[in-house]
């Protein structure tokens, strides 16, 4: 640390470096791809079923159904639950666009409720208020997002779902391996905390493919069977279409890559937690950590019931945009997830929301900054990021 403290030029730090993981896994991954090529079984080859089985086991779910993307997984889950026209689904405005667009594609009406400003996840109290005050299209489901790799408050969502007869669809796109400890002391993984969960294996995710891929998990065999049918044109028997499904199979090559990477995801998640703890301690040691952005940087807050996988390490930062420019000038990666809440997206204007409707989400969008975090990130790079931020605020 001494060398960088005396204002020498800082080394660049990437937001994400796929090459490092590839260097570690190259032999294993290429062998898996070769196996698919040698078999020439590109559609629903044995790797798909094998990966589904292993991924379900890793989540503690009885069933997993692979599909083409996380977006499709959300849609597939809603369709399997028969949530469509005439139903409303509550979710968060502070998420990736697909959270809401999947509800629209299902034909259901998205209803939004604000987030908990501490965890950035959908706030159960806001959902409860909405359920009680809403008139119109009946609410059938809640879709909490496990944002940045931390499970939403599933205790309260279980209570809400029971009280109001709602389905729970987890948007677990960012949370493979995350977990939540229930009031009875049992710990359950994301993917088993609702009726259906959707995962994304987009290349930047903590479990990622070499292209687009996704998966649903459930403990309900009937739902799993329905999703398996819907993802393949609604066919149970070849060329006999029971329903109008679509083509959203998990590609065999992607399943082969995922089978390899699944073996490393636990270690990767553990390393992410280690990096997050290192960031925390360095920010504190530098005197930068504070309770509010009026006073300094607000570090990520982990609910004691959550096992966070730190898909992202996200701070709240005073003068966020200027800080980001400073980091970019030093070739230090950062990202804003997400700069515009969903209720203010031009394409979602028809939902009828306006600026001021979800103040916690709007404030988060103005303050959050994601810093580099991936299993191969080195400790000295974490030190460099913190040092660059220290220089900005000094
Ligand atoms: C919270 C969330 N939901 C849904 C998705 C959609 O996943 P995909 O990009 O695989 O379609 C993503 C990822 O991009 C996401 O982060």
């Amino acid at each position: 640390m001494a060398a960088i403290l005396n204002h020498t030029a800082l080394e660049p730090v990437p937001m994400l470096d796929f090459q490092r993981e590839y260097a570690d896994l190259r032999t294993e991954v290429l062998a898996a791809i070769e196996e698919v090529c040698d078999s020439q079984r590109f559609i629903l080859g044995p790797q798909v079923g094998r990966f589904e089985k292993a991924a379900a086991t890793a989540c503690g779910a009885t069933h997993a159904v692979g599909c083409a993307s996380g977006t499709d997984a959300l849609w597939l889950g809603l369709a399997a639950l028969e949530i469509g026209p005439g139903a409303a689904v509550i979710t968060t405005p502070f998420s990736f666009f697909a959270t809401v667009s999947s509800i629209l594609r299902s034909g259901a009406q998205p209803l939004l409720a604000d987030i908990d400003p501490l965890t950035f996840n959908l706030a159960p109290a806001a959902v409860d208020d909405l359920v009680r005050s809403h008139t119109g299209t009946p609410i059938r489901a809640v879709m909490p997002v496990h944002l940045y790799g931390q499970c939403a408050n599933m205790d309260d969502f279980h209570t809400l779902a029971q009280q109001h007869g709602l389905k729970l669809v987890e948007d677990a796109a960012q949370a493979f391996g995350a977990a939540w400890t229930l009031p009875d002391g049992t710990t359950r993984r994301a993917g088993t905390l609702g009726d259906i969960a959707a995962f994304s294996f987009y290349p930047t995710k903590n479990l990622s493919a070499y292209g687009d891929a996704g998966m649903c998990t459930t403990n309900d065999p009937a739902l799993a069977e329905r999703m398996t049918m819907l993802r393949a044109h609604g066919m149970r028997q070849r060329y006999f279409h029971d329903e109008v499904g679509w083509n959203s199979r998990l590609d065999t090559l992607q399943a082969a890559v995922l089978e390899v990477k699944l073996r490393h995801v636990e270690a990767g998640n553990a390393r992410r937690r280690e990096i997050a703890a290192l960031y925390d301690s360095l920010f504190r040691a530098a005197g930068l950590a504070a309770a509010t952005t009026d006073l300094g940087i607000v570090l990520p807050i982990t609910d004691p019931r959550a096992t966070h996988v730190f898909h992202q390490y996200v701070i709240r930062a005073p003068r966020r945009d200027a800080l980001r420019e400073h980091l970019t000038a030093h070739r230090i990666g950062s990202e804003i997830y997400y700069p515009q809440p969903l209720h203010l997206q031009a394409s979602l204007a028809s939902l009828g929301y306006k600026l001021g409707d979800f103040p916690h989400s709007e404030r988060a969008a103005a303050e959050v900054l994601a810093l580099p975090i991936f299993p191969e990130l080195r400790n000295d790079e974490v030190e460099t990021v913190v040092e660059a931020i220290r220089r900005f605020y000094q």
Side-chain angles (χ1 to χ4, degrees):
M1 196 77 178
I4 45 180
L5 281 177
N6 61 12
H7 278 218
T8 50
L10 297 168
E11 289 296 317
V13 182
M15 183 63 189
L16 190 55
D17 183 354
F18 293 126
Q19 291 294 348
R20 298 186 196 182
E21 185 196 59
Y22 182 56
D24 290 344
L25 301 185
R26 192 172 183 278
T27 312
E28 271 181 274
V29 166
L30 291 184
I33 291 174
E34 191 177 23
E35 190 191 330
V36 178
C37 294
D38 285 348
S39 76
Q40 291 290 298
R41 292 182 63 188
F42 296 114
I43 303 295
L44 296 181
Q47 288 80 359
V48 174
R50 283 197 322 237
F51 170 70
E52 287 172 335
K53 215 166 164 224
T57 304
C59 296
T62 54
H63 296 82
V65 179
C67 63
S69 68
T71 306
D72 273 11
L74 287 167
W75 186 24
L76 196 56
L78 291 169
L81 289 165
E82 298 187 68
I83 290 170
V89 179
I90 299 180
T91 193
T92 163
F94 193 57
S95 182
F96 180 63
F97 183 70
T99 304
V100 165
S101 72
S102 63
I103 299 171
L104 286 169
R105 287 194 91 179
S106 77
Q109 181 193 349
L111 295 175
L112 303 178
D114 211 352
I115 56 167
D116 170 350
L118 298 180
T119 62
F120 303 106
N121 279 326
L122 183 62
V127 174
D128 193 40
D129 286 349
L130 180 54
V131 172
R132 289 176 196 282
S133 62
H134 177 74
T135 53
T137 312
I139 298 166
R140 289 275 321 280
V142 182
M143 186 189 281
V145 179
H146 304 321
L147 200 69
Y148 306 146
Q150 171 167 222
C151 287
N153 181 344
M154 296 311 289
D155 290 354
D156 288 357
F157 286 123
H158 289 151
T159 307
L160 270 169
Q162 257 173 4
Q163 277 175 349
H164 302 288
L166 305 173
K167 298 290 181 193
L168 281 180
V169 179
E170 297 171 75
D171 182 340
Q174 303 186 2
F176 196 95
W180 184 261
T181 301
L182 298 164
D184 67 4
T186 56
T187 297
R188 292 223 312 252
R189 289 224 159 160
T192 64
L193 292 160
D195 295 281
I196 284 183
F199 291 91
S200 164
F201 304 127
Y202 183 80
T204 59
K205 297 295 193 259
N206 65 327
L207 175 59
S208 59
Y210 281 4
D212 277 308
M215 179 182 82
C216 287
T217 52
T218 182
N219 283 335
D220 182 334
L223 288 175
E225 195 276 334
R226 209 173 138 65
M227 292 192 283
T228 308
M229 177 268 292
L230 287 170
R231 76 165 177 196
H233 298 290
M235 285 191 291
R236 289 189 170 89
Q237 191 186 340
R238 207 165 163 75
Y239 303 129
F240 290 86
H241 303 268
D242 300 340
E243 285 192 51
V244 182
W246 56 92
N247 178 2
S248 183
R249 295 171 294 239
L250 173 61
D251 189 275
T252 307
L253 281 166
Q254 299 305 341
V257 172
L258 286 163
E259 250 194 303
V260 171
K261 293 226 212 165
L262 183 63
R263 297 199 280 267
H264 301 273
V265 72
E266 280 293 310
N269 285 341
R271 174 64 186 148
R272 285 170 184 275
R273 279 191 283 272
E274 212 174 86
I275 292 169
L278 180 58
Y279 268 125
D280 284 354
S281 67
L282 291 173
F283 279 127
R284 289 205 175 96
L288 290 166
T292 69
T293 42
D294 303 327
L295 301 170
I297 287 172
V298 181
L299 303 180
I301 293 167
T302 303
D303 188 296
R305 295 163 290 186
T307 306
H308 204 319
V309 291
F310 287 98
H311 170 58
Q312 298 296 342
Y313 181 89
V314 178
I315 58 170
R316 284 183 188 262
R319 295 186 286 130
R320 190 269 317 271
D321 293 335
L323 171 62
R324 186 158 192 233
E325 275 172 35
H326 164 85
L327 293 176
T328 306
H330 285 284
R331 291 176 298 156
I332 291 173
S334 65
E335 194 47 83
I336 298 170
Y337 304 111
Y338 296 90
Q340 173 98 303
L342 298 176
H343 66 292
L344 302 178
Q345 297 288 345
S347 61
L348 299 176
S350 63
L351 298 183
Y353 295 108
K354 60 181 188 317
L355 186 69
D357 281 349
F358 304 111
H360 292 309
S361 299
E362 289 165 19
R363 182 159 184 183
E367 292 186 343
V368 292
L369 191 66
L371 302 178
I373 191 162
F374 52 97
E376 301 78 20
L377 188 70
R378 300 188 312 269
N379 287 0
D380 66 285
E381 293 176 308
V382 177
E383 288 172 6
T384 301
V385 175
V386 175
E387 169 59 10
I389 293 174
R390 192 191 65 78
R391 288 186 191 181
F392 176 76
Y393 289 113
Q394 79 184 357

